[in-house]
């Protein structure tokens, strides 16, 4: 379990989150859903970098933690004098306090060997920019979450130069022409059109699905070869090796990792260290953050998209910020399917209790809306807007306000 506490940051006043494998944030416009999503993603990035480098001083100097958050996630102006962010996982706990400009971190050394490096991906609401602007890779963009997504998208779409992808239930398929560097969708008539000429829903969902496919199928093995990362990984392995191997005088076994030889007394020690080394230096799973996955989609397609996202998740992690009660109701069906006989699930996805968290964000506060007894989502939060509309309808007819 990971926990996140945010104080006085953007629209968030004070909130505590207990996070699981799948997390959903829902609430009114500008309530703070994306603020939480971005902050959590940033904390996951900080956790990964701290575990690999153990360089707390880097985050403590010159407000590095906060400055990186504001720049990468385009959140300038969200900070205040009293902003405070605390994060805790199985591997470490850290707190940034803007009132003192301090960053404090404590490592949980007993869990060091269990760490696995995550491929982090923030998929922003403006992801359809890759559909709207042809040859977007030729443009010079700022180093932020949009630019990072564009780079990942460009890598992911190359897989579909030799295959096609069905686009949920919209009746089209996607493919990429690597010669012209052009994205196409095939219509039900069999005709190809450029993605930039497709409907707004297709332009929004194709970049999302293409990237998710690469993340959940782990086609990112070669993403760690830049010079800075190579140096980081080399230093990380040396630190891990020194912390485990105190004496190599009687070493009889050698193993090669990242072009370097390491010495061990037994074959078992060598194999164990190699697994730990790979977990630190290679991506072992994806940690995915999606802003408004329902963007420009009809309700039925929203539901099918969520089914696609959750069914393909495997042992990866997923966190979503959404406005859609349809997605929330669909997710509640997944929860219920996990509680009843499989024969009655109508081919629904089944989720186990303890693998998900759902929070309603309003007035700067996050409220856990999963019922402690039933483990289902609080019915009043599933579609509060529909209740308000129905109340207005009842008033127009002269019915009692509470008649539902």
């Amino acid at each position: 379990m990971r926990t996140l506490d945010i104080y006085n940051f953007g629209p968030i006043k004070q909130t505590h989150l207990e996070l699981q494998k799948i997390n959903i944030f829902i609430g009114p416009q500008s309530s703070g859903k994306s603020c939480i999503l971005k902050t959590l993603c940033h904390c996951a990035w900080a956790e990964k970098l701290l575990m690999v480098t153990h360089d707390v001083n880097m985050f403590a100097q010159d407000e590095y933690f906060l400055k990186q958050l504001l720049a990468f996630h385009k959140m300038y102006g969200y900070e205040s004098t009293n902003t405070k962010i605390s994060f805790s996982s199985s591997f470490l706990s850290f707190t940034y306090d803007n009132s003192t400009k301090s960053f404090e971190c404590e490592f949980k050394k007993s869990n060091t060997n269990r760490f696995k490096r995550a491929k982090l991906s923030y998929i922003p609401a403006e992801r359809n920019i890759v559909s709207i602007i042809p040859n977007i890779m030729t443009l010079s963009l700022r180093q932020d979450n949009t630019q990072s997504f564009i780079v990942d998208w460009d890598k992911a779409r190359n897989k579909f130069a030799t295959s096609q992808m069905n686009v949920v239930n919209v009746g089209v398929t996607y493919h990429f022409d690597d010669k012209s560097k052009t994205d196409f969708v095939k219509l039900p008539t069999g005709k190809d059109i450029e993605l930039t000429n497709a409907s707004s829903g297709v332009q929004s969902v194709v970049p999302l699905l293409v990237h998710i496919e690469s993340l959940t199928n782990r086609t990112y093995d070669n993403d760690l070869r830049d010079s800075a990362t190579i140096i980081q990984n080399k230093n990380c392995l040396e630190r891990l090796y020194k912390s485990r191997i105190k004496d190599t005088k009687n070493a009889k076994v050698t193993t090669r990792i990242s072009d370097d030889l390491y010495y061990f007394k037994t074959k078992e020690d060598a194999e164990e260290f190699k697994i730990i080394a790979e977990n630190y230096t290679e991506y072992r799973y994806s940690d995915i953050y999606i802003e408004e996955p329902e963007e420009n989609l009809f309700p039925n397609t929203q539901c099918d998209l969520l089914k696609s996202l959750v069914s393909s998740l495997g042992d990866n992690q997923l966190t979503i910020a959404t406005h859609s009660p349809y997605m929330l109701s669909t997710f509640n069906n997944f929860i219920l399917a996990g509680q009843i006989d499989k024969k009655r699930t109508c081919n629904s996805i089944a989720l186990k209790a303890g693998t998900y968290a759902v929070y309603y964000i309003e007035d700067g506060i996050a409220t856990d809306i999963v019922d402690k007894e039933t483990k289902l989502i609080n019915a009043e939060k599933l579609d509060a807007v529909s209740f308000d509309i129905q109340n207005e309808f009842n008033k127009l007819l002269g019915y009692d306000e509470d008649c539902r």
Side-chain angles (χ1 to χ4, degrees):
M1 180 185 292
R2 299 174 295 170
T3 64
L4 176 65
D5 292 89
I6 305 174
Y7 304 89
N8 302 310
F9 186 54
I12 302 300
K13 300 173 183 176
Q14 177 178 344
T15 199
H16 172 76
L17 301 159
E18 297 184 357
L19 303 153
Q20 302 291 345
K21 175 182 176 179
I22 305 174
N23 308 286
I24 296 183
F25 306 135
I26 191 168
Q29 196 76 38
S30 302
S31 59
K33 302 181 298 299
S34 294
C35 178
I36 293 175
L37 190 74
K38 293 173 179 177
T39 304
L40 176 59
C41 182
H42 180 70
C43 287
W45 168 79
E47 176 198 35
K48 179 173 67 174
L49 191 54
L50 284 163
M51 289 299 295
V52 172
T53 66
H54 265 229
D55 187 359
V56 178
N57 289 332
M58 175 177 65
F59 283 90
Q61 292 176 357
D62 196 29
E63 305 167 52
Y64 182 78
F65 174 83
L66 181 63
K67 287 181 177 179
Q68 289 296 310
L69 171 57
L70 300 181
F72 185 78
H73 288 291
K74 297 169 285 189
M75 303 178 80
Y76 288 111
Y78 278 56
E79 75 279 14
S80 69
T81 302
N82 297 320
T83 291
K84 186 176 180 180
I85 298 170
S86 296
F87 175 84
S88 179
S89 72
S90 300
F91 310 106
L92 52 72
S93 297
F94 62 73
T95 296
Y96 175 80
D97 188 339
N98 202 36
S99 64
T100 57
K101 312 296 183 186
S102 62
F103 181 89
E104 297 181 356
C105 176
E106 180 179 353
F107 294 96
K108 301 175 183 179
K109 296 181 179 179
S110 60
N111 291 334
T112 298
N113 292 349
R114 295 171 46 220
F115 176 77
K116 293 182 180 180
R117 188 177 191 136
K119 168 65 175 177
L120 294 170
S121 184
Y122 190 91
I123 304 178
E126 59 269 27
R127 57 188 169 271
N128 63 348
I129 191 174
V130 302
S131 306
I132 297 170
I133 303 177
N135 301 316
I136 194 169
M137 293 302 298
T138 62
L139 302 181
S140 178
L141 300 171
R142 293 186 304 177
Q143 297 289 323
D144 57 28
N145 60 27
T146 302
Q147 190 268 352
S148 178
F149 170 74
I150 291 170
V151 171
D152 285 342
W153 142 265
D154 187 53
K155 294 177 183 177
R157 65 179 177 164
N158 280 281
K159 176 179 178 180
F160 295 98
T162 56
S163 63
Q164 296 187 352
M165 180 189 69
N166 290 320
V167 183
V168 285
N169 70 355
V170 297
V172 304
T173 59
Y174 164 82
H175 67 276
F176 175 62
D177 185 333
D178 60 346
K179 293 181 179 179
S180 64
K181 302 299 180 184
T182 305
D183 304 285
F184 289 96
V185 291
K186 186 181 292 293
L187 302 178
T189 60
K191 183 179 181 180
D192 280 348
I193 64 169
E194 292 187 24
L195 180 59
T196 190
N197 296 325
S199 68
S200 60
V202 171
Q203 289 184 2
S204 294
V205 77
V206 162
L208 171 60
L209 290 175
V210 169
H211 188 35
I212 290 293
E213 198 280 338
S214 71
L215 291 169
T216 54
N217 285 288
R218 302 183 183 183
T219 54
Y220 43 61
D221 293 342
N222 295 323
D223 287 353
L224 295 172
R225 294 184 179 176
D226 64 276
S227 58
T229 303
I230 290 172
I231 294 172
Q232 276 186 1
N233 287 344
K234 183 180 178 66
N235 293 338
C236 174
L237 293 182
E238 290 178 356
R239 175 176 51 79
L240 289 171
Y241 182 71
K242 290 178 181 178
S243 69
R244 294 173 59 82
I245 308 300
K246 306 299 182 182
D247 179 17
T248 59
K249 291 181 180 179
N250 299 317
K252 300 178 180 179
V253 179
T254 62
T255 187
R256 186 174 294 278
I257 304 173
S258 300
D259 297 326
D260 291 322
L261 277 177
Y262 293 86
Y263 299 85
F264 303 89
K265 292 183 178 180
T266 68
K267 182 179 179 181
E268 289 73 20
D269 288 342
E271 290 176 348
E272 182 182 19
F273 182 77
K274 188 172 184 179
I275 292 172
I276 294 171
E278 289 173 349
N279 285 341
Y280 269 82
T281 59
E282 298 178 8
Y283 295 133
R284 311 311 275 177
Y285 70 99
S286 296
D287 191 6
I288 306 165
Y289 300 81
I290 309 177
E291 196 174 358
E292 300 178 30
E294 74 278 6
E295 196 172 54
N296 300 323
L297 299 179
F298 189 71
N300 285 352
T301 308
Q302 294 180 29
C303 300
D304 286 346
L305 173 60
L306 187 62
K307 288 180 181 178
S308 175
L309 293 174
V310 176
S311 64
S312 65
L313 194 58
D315 58 358
N316 303 297
Q317 295 180 166
L318 175 66
T319 304
I320 290 173
T322 179
H323 296 110
S324 173
Y326 303 108
M327 299 198 91
L328 201 63
S329 296
T330 301
F331 194 77
N332 209 36
N333 288 347
F334 300 165
I335 298 172
L336 181 60
Q339 299 177 0
I340 62 179
D341 189 278
K342 290 184 178 180
K343 294 179 181 178
R344 296 170 52 202
T345 60
C346 302
N347 297 317
S348 180
I349 297 167
L351 292 178
K352 295 181 180 179
T355 62
Y356 56 86
V358 185
Y359 285 91
Y360 188 82
I361 319 299
E362 189 173 30
D363 296 329
I365 303 295
T367 303
D368 184 350
I369 58 173
V370 175
D371 188 274
K372 300 302 180 185
E373 295 184 3
T374 66
K375 307 302 181 184
L376 295 169
I377 299 171
N378 186 316
E380 292 184 2
K381 297 299 184 182
L382 283 175
D383 195 355
V385 174
S386 290
F387 288 147
D388 291 340
I389 294 171
Q390 186 62 49
N391 278 336
E392 182 178 359
F393 185 82
N394 290 335
K395 286 180 181 180
L396 291 169
L397 293 175
Y399 296 148
D400 182 83
E401 180 180 355
D402 294 326
C403 179
R404 294 180 179 175

